[in-house]
Amino acid sequence: MPQLALHPSKSRYWQVFLLCLAVSAALFAPHCLIDALSGDFFHYAGDFNDQQISFYSYANAFVKQGGTFSWATDLGSGFVNAYSFYLCGSPFFWLTLLLPDWLTPWFMVPMLCLKFAVAGGGAYLWMRRWVRDEEYSVIGACLYAFSGFTIYNIFFNHFLDVVALFPYLLASLDDAVLDGRHRMFPFWLGLNLLNNYFFFAGQAVFLIIYFVCLTAGGAYRLTRRLFGRLALETLLGCAMGCALLWPAALSLVQNPRTIDPFNGYGYLVYGSAQQYLAIFYSAFLMPDAPYLRDLFQEGILKHTSMTAYLPVVGIAGGLVFCRVRRRHPFSRILRVCVICAFVPVLNSMFYAFNSSYYARWYYMPVLILCAATVMALRSERLRRTEFRLALRVVALCTLSSIAFALVPVTENDTTTLGVVEEPLRYWGLLAATLLGIALFALLLHLRRPERFASLLLAAVLGFSFVYGQVHLSITKYGQWYHDAAYVDETWGQADEVNAALPDDAFYRIDAYECYNNMGLWLDKSCIQFFNSTVAPSILEFYPSVGVTRDVSSKPDVGLYALRGLLSVRYTLVPRDADADWKKEKAQGWKAAGEAGDYLLYENENWVPMGFTYDRYVTQETFDSVAEEKRGNLLMKALLLTDDQISRLGDLLTELPADEVGTLDFAGYADDCAARRADAVTGFTATRTGFTATADLDRENLVFFSVPYDDGFSATVNGQPAAIEKVDNGLMAVRAPAGRSEIVFTYHTAGLRASATVSGAACVVWLAGVCLPVLRRRRRADSAPAAPQDPRK
């Protein structure tokens, strides 16, 4: 391997930073202008609108107001655990705290532009050591910043935080091993872990691959002392960034979405042959919208971030590099990553061996691919020989996708051409991709090699704008009619809707055919909610009562009894959906007013939060009832485990079998009336839990439809009380006869311990950074002054 000391020339970091900032700003500008003409901030599609904008705005306000428990998150969830995957540890989110919460949605685009700039700058810092040429390092950094992976994941927003910060971690590892500059490695390790624990699991796997390949290739020359120091710095960095890790781990181990192991053939082969084709073509064709399928209809394709596309150059540079420099560590890394992509269990290494398919680790080999590409492009000889051959291969593979648009399909005696979902969209994507290939071919045939680098940089930036516009337009305007009123009906009308809703008591709301996460805009608990990392007991409760709970909670209107059980008092119905609402023929609702574009319907069978029962039901009886009727059953009786029955059976009697068979609406209405009669006399939701006052005729269990969480502690009349997990995930507490003061307090489980470890580790790191500097200054101050020349 050649000498790998950093190139002595002046760094162009800020040039790259500003280039990426300017191009990304230009990329978003037309769409921001279109939205601004309607008086709206930039809104995109899918997760960006439904989660990212509302999450940032809500979290901004929540953090400033303080608290630990978020009532607006589904049925209620601990704030840290619900949002640490999305934003709690992100330095980009921290920057938005400088803004008022109402202004946060308007700054989503500036923050996106900043992420592009930081990503490009970090890629440049890492790349310049390996590329050994400042111009080509700038090109490689821009390729990374505007790769298909980055453009695709604008849709998810917080994924770009990871893309932006990862190159700095890789650069700091190189600095530590190759230059002996160890100070920043623990810092960047800790920051990447703090930023997103989910992606950090994949980064840890990739760092091992990177470290092993560089060591095997002779780039890293290790001694026992160096290896030991790196191990200690790795532990220190992980300790520095673990503030959110332990609370998240305690929550995630109870989340069924994170415990999804492979079985049998699933370890080795994907369930659909089309999955392999999709992975293959993800390196050749520019990415489609995340929520759409184009070439392939089977397999797990939507929302997977499956793209390794590079603007203009594609994977031609990677093919050339791996051919002419087969023993280089980067060639080995790329080959290992290709194998990982095609073998399910190896792909899942980057996600703690979860069998759910994602390709959200591709940004790491894409960074290597960018470096390998520009390293190969430095050679004029390779540009005139190997690259022209590789470009033919890339063009041929890209054009081969046309077969899927022309293959005959016969159905019901009618023959059509193509299996693509939307031919026009496919031809548009293909045309943009071929434009990039043609542009690269033109550059390779230039007869003035001294201008090649500057022209290639211009081509990469210009084409990134073009193909980025194609991708953003397909993604944004593909849902234009659905999302046209998004800003007005969420951010714009939140105050008006809140003013129309009474504040005389705590209650939950329902949102019929509204935009996702209305509860966050209104700061109210809403049973329709879209977030993957809510309290795990929500994911246990909902499936037991006939509600599918994967990434969102969406109880069907027909499950009317859940509205009573969960203290839902009002349903918001957009005016243009009122006809659909009336077709549902939902019983027990009456018109209660209007606010802006919404009609309000009030639940005639609303039950306030906090009530008691006379009967209990066993798990066996509960399981024997049809799922759609279990909500009715839970309005009649409290579901207890066998252990709870043995301990608390003196408070309640078992529900007779004949009552189990009468689960109709009339019985539900009667049960709601009975529960209202036995409700607590007062309930107050706080930012750290809730308080309630009860006046009971006898000792009993007081039930609260709040998700059970290990972070809760309870007191009754000032005395610690045991919290019972009932109804497959909700809570109850034993209270005596007469007046009682019940207080539930939420502390994020594990946060204090992890924050202490993180704080201590930061102190150790700061001491390690500052003490050598202070020692050098003291030595300089104590050194004897040089003798003066007597002739002066």
Side-chain angles (χ1 to χ4, degrees):
M1 294 294 296
Q3 293 295 317
L4 293 172
L6 277 175
H7 202 276
S9 59
K10 183 179 179 180
S11 172
R12 297 189 181 183
Y13 176 87
W14 291 109
Q15 176 189 344
V16 176
F17 185 94
L18 292 174
L19 275 175
C20 294
L21 187 69
V23 173
S24 59
L27 184 63
F28 289 108
H31 309 285
C32 290
L33 179 61
I34 291 171
D35 288 332
L37 291 175
S38 302
D40 298 343
F41 50 74
F42 172 80
H43 54 287
Y44 193 36
D47 288 33
F48 187 91
N49 296 348
D50 295 337
Q51 291 190 322
Q52 300 301 320
I53 298 176
S54 57
F55 285 3
Y56 262 66
S57 182
Y58 173 76
N60 182 298
F62 188 93
V63 170
K64 290 174 180 176
Q65 294 169 14
T68 57
F69 191 76
S70 167
W71 284 97
T73 301
D74 210 300
L75 302 180
S77 295
F79 176 80
V80 169
N81 289 338
Y83 295 99
S84 58
F85 168 66
Y86 295 98
L87 50 75
C88 283
S90 168
F92 299 98
F93 168 68
W94 303 340
L95 281 175
T96 66
L97 295 179
L98 299 173
L99 305 168
D101 61 278
W102 63 269
L103 196 56
T104 303
W106 294 88
F107 274 78
M108 295 299 288
V109 166
M111 294 310 300
L112 282 169
C113 295
L114 179 61
K115 293 174 189 180
F116 275 89
V118 172
Y124 166 79
L125 288 179
W126 169 76
M127 214 170 290
R128 64 194 298 253
R129 177 191 300 276
W130 300 99
V131 177
R132 317 298 294 170
D133 184 291
E134 293 299 303
E135 281 189 296
Y136 283 93
S137 296
V138 171
I139 295 169
C142 292
L143 284 172
Y144 177 74
F146 297 103
S147 69
F149 188 94
T150 310
I151 297 294
Y152 180 107
N153 285 294
I154 293 170
F155 185 86
F156 295 107
N157 180 49
H158 70 290
F159 290 8
L160 296 191
D161 301 18
V162 182
V163 174
L165 296 178
F166 175 70
Y168 297 88
L169 172 57
L170 217 55
S172 67
L173 176 61
D174 287 346
D175 289 346
V177 177
L178 298 173
D179 296 338
R181 296 187 298 154
H182 293 262
R183 290 182 298 175
M184 297 308 295
F185 177 56
F187 171 81
W188 287 112
L189 196 68
L191 185 60
N192 275 267
L193 172 54
L194 183 66
N195 176 58
N196 194 296
Y197 57 82
F198 175 77
F199 280 91
F200 185 80
Q203 291 173 347
V205 172
F206 187 83
L207 283 179
I208 293 172
I209 295 171
Y210 183 84
F211 187 85
V212 170
C213 288
L214 264 66
T215 302
Y220 280 3
R221 297 176 181 176
L222 294 178
T223 63
R224 291 182 179 179
R225 181 177 179 181
L226 176 58
F227 184 81
R229 181 168 181 175
L230 287 173
L232 290 175
E233 289 170 346
T234 300
L235 292 175
L236 178 62
C238 291
M240 290 170 64
C242 77
L244 303 177
L245 178 63
W246 185 239
L250 293 175
S251 178
L252 290 173
V253 294
Q254 303 174 62
N255 188 327
R257 291 193 71 222
T258 62
I259 306 172
D260 188 14
F262 287 99
N263 186 38
Y265 282 107
Y267 284 97
L268 304 176
V269 294
Y270 292 113
S272 170
Q274 293 185 27
Q275 192 79 25
Y276 292 97
L277 292 171
I279 295 170
F280 175 76
Y281 280 104
S282 70
F284 296 97
L285 287 166
M286 65 162 284
D288 200 352
Y291 58 85
L292 296 175
R293 296 180 181 182
D294 197 22
L295 282 179
F296 309 106
Q297 310 307 314
E298 297 178 6
I300 304 171
L301 307 175
K302 294 182 180 180
H303 306 111
T304 60
S305 304
M306 188 199 301
T307 175
Y309 177 76
L310 295 184
V312 180
V313 299
I315 64 163
L319 295 176
V320 171
F321 190 86
C322 290
R323 173 180 167 81
V324 302
R325 303 189 67 178
R326 298 179 182 179
R327 295 181 179 274
H328 194 282
F330 289 179
S331 296
R332 294 175 177 175
I333 292 171
L334 291 174
R335 287 195 292 267
V336 169
C337 289
V338 168
I339 294 171
C340 289
F342 283 94
V343 180
V345 69
L346 298 181
N347 185 82
S348 72
M349 288 192 307
F350 298 92
Y351 308 110
F353 293 98
N354 189 290
S355 65
S356 298
Y357 178 81
Y358 291 109
R360 292 171 179 172
W361 58 278
Y362 280 17
Y363 66 98
M364 296 180 285
V366 161
L367 178 60
I368 305 298
L369 177 61
C370 293
T373 297
V374 293
M375 288 168 73
L377 282 169
R378 285 186 61 198
S379 168
E380 183 182 352
R381 180 184 63 82
L382 291 181
R383 295 202 300 268
R384 295 192 176 278
T385 55
E386 296 288 343
F387 264 97
R388 294 183 181 182
L389 175 61
L391 191 59
R392 294 190 189 102
V393 173
V394 170
L396 182 62
C397 290
T398 304
L399 289 170
S400 70
S401 66
I402 295 176
F404 298 100
L406 300 179
V407 64
V409 178
T410 301
E411 187 175 354
N412 298 327
D413 297 326
T414 302
T415 300
T416 58
L417 292 180
V419 293
V420 298
E421 183 179 68
E422 177 53 58
L424 185 60
R425 190 173 73 244
Y426 162 73
W427 289 112
L429 295 172
L430 179 64
T433 304
L434 291 176
L435 175 63
I437 293 174
L439 187 58
F440 191 37
L442 179 64
L443 289 172
L444 290 177
H445 284 81
L446 281 175
R447 295 188 177 182
R448 298 182 63 180
E450 69 277 4
R451 297 185 59 192
F452 179 79
S454 58
L455 289 174
L456 179 59
L457 176 60
V460 167
L461 295 176
F463 182 72
S464 293
F465 174 81
V466 172
Y467 102 91
Q469 289 296 344
V470 173
H471 181 84
L472 262 67
S473 297
I474 290 174
T475 305
K476 176 178 173 64
Y477 303 112
Q479 292 190 349
W480 177 252
Y481 292 105
H482 176 270
D483 292 338
Y486 170 76
V487 176
D488 185 45
E489 292 187 8
T490 55
W491 180 85
Q493 297 186 27
D495 290 342
E496 186 176 357
V497 173
N498 264 331
L501 293 170
D503 59 359
D504 55 340
F506 175 88
Y507 53 86
R508 291 194 175 99
I509 62 171
D510 195 359
Y512 179 79
E513 293 190 9
C514 297
Y515 290 108
N516 280 322
N517 292 335
M518 279 300 298
L520 294 181
W521 294 108
L522 302 173
D523 197 11
K524 292 187 182 298
S525 182
C526 180
I527 63 172
Q528 310 286 337
F529 197 76
F530 181 21
N531 180 314
S532 303
T533 52
V534 295
S537 54
I538 294 175
L539 283 74
E540 180 183 354
F541 166 73
Y542 268 136
S544 73
V545 291
V547 179
T548 299
R549 213 314 172 178
D550 40 27
V551 298
S552 60
S553 302
K554 293 184 177 179
D556 186 78
V557 175
L559 299 174
Y560 57 84
L562 289 183
R563 275 64 183 179
L565 181 70
L566 300 176
S567 300
V568 175
R569 186 176 180 183
Y570 291 96
T571 292
L572 304 181
V573 180
R575 293 178 187 274
D576 57 7
D578 192 47
D580 293 332
W581 166 258
K582 289 175 180 175
K583 289 178 184 178
E584 298 281 0
K585 297 181 179 179
Q587 295 177 283
W589 295 91
K590 64 179 181 180
E594 55 187 58
D597 290 324
Y598 294 98
L599 301 176
L600 306 180
Y601 287 88
E602 186 172 5
N603 184 2
E604 296 177 316
N605 295 299
W606 171 58
V607 182
M609 174 70 79
F611 47 84
T612 62
Y613 291 85
D614 297 321
R615 311 288 181 84
Y616 71 83
V617 65
T618 66
Q619 188 70 52
E620 181 181 2
T621 301
F622 180 82
D623 293 340
S624 69
V625 173
E627 286 185 348
E628 65 273 14
K629 291 296 184 180
R630 290 177 181 175
N632 298 63
L633 181 61
L634 293 180
M635 287 306 300
K636 286 184 176 294
L638 190 65
L639 173 59
L640 300 179
T641 64
D642 291 341
D643 173 67
Q644 288 171 330
I645 292 170
S646 65
R647 292 186 290 104
L648 306 168
D650 60 314
L651 302 178
L652 306 170
T653 58
E654 185 172 0
L655 184 70
D658 59 333
E659 293 191 36
V660 176
T662 56
L663 300 175
D664 54 17
F665 183 81
Y668 158 73
D670 292 340
D671 292 329
C672 288
R675 301 290 79 78
R676 274 196 303 274
D678 294 330
V680 298
T681 56
F683 181 92
T684 302
T686 69
R687 305 187 69 80
T688 57
F690 59 90
T691 63
T693 56
D695 194 358
L696 306 182
D697 294 335
R698 61 180 181 84
E699 185 178 18
N700 204 345
L701 286 173
V702 182
F703 166 78
F704 300 97
S705 59
V706 179
Y708 179 89
D709 194 301
D710 291 337
F712 271 113
S713 60
T715 62
V716 177
N717 295 327
Q719 299 299 313
I723 299 174
E724 301 293 340
K725 183 179 180 181
V726 298
D727 286 5
N728 288 324
L730 305 179
M731 296 196 295
V733 67
R734 189 168 187 159
R739 183 175 176 82
S740 298
E741 294 287 340
I742 301 170
V743 178
F744 275 63
T745 304
Y746 184 82
H747 296 285
T748 305
L751 180 61
R752 179 175 297 178
S754 60
T756 301
V757 171
S758 182
C762 289
V763 171
V764 171
W765 176 75
L766 284 171
V769 170
C770 297
L771 287 177
V773 176
L774 294 174
R775 288 171 184 166
R776 285 195 295 269
R777 287 183 178 179
R778 288 176 181 174
R779 288 171 185 169
D781 293 340
S782 61
Q788 293 185 352
D789 190 337
R791 292 172 295 180
K792 293 184 178 180

